Amino acid sequence: MVKPTKKILFFIVEGSTDKTALEKIFKKIYRKKHVRFVFTNGDITSDDEITKDNVCDILYAKVKKYLDENKLKKTDVWQVIQIFDTDGTYIPEAAILPGPTNEFCYSTTSISCWYPEKVKERNRKKAEMYIDDYYEIMGK
């Protein structure tokens, strides 16, 4: 009996720490599925060139690039999962405060940095990037 080809469960995470934190967990969750995992970095919500209008095209390009590089087809993909890092995205704007550094400093009650407006704009952008339709990405 021929063993079925593994389908790809494609995870796009925002950074290497997300990959490290999530890879073993998801492999355990899906251990009985006949899937191959692909984790790729894709911090799309911090890229000023990416908008709600072009985010699906960007995600499709990331997946297509991987498929092309590995001589795979769209039919080899079982699922595409984009994991957004929402770190502070939904904090009230009143809790975004001026701070002593350019880096975002998180506490249990606020976020601070030199430019609070930068945090507010980032949060607005992250909140609008949510995609709930796989076919918006892979249906191309």
Side-chain angles (χ1 to χ4, degrees), residues 87-115:
D87 56 350
T89 300
Y90 300 101
I91 190 170
E93 287 196 1
I96 301 171
L97 309 170
T101 178
N102 193 37
E103 299 293 321
F104 295 173
C105 298
Y106 297 89
S107 77
T108 56
T109 59
S110 67
I111 300 175
S112 64
C113 77
W114 281 340
Y115 305 104

Side-chain angles (χ1 to χ4, degrees), residues 39-94:
F39 282 81
T40 184
N41 296 344
D43 190 0
I44 62 169
T45 59
S46 296
D47 186 333
D48 290 334
E49 301 298 316
I50 299 175
T51 66
K52 176 72 172 166
D53 294 331
N54 69 6
V55 67
C56 288
D57 293 334
I58 300 297
L59 291 173
Y60 176 76
K62 286 185 174 296
V63 173
K64 184 165 181 1
K65 179 181 177 195
Y66 178 85
L67 295 178
D68 290 346
E69 288 172 352
N70 291 279
K71 297 178 178 45
L72 298 166
K73 302 174 288 208
K74 284 196 298 187
T75 56
D76 295 321
V77 177
W78 178 47
Q79 288 183 342
V80 175
I81 299 173
Q82 167 70 49
I83 299 178
F84 290 103
D85 184 349
T86 60
D87 56 350
T89 300
Y90 300 101
I91 190 170
E93 287 196 1

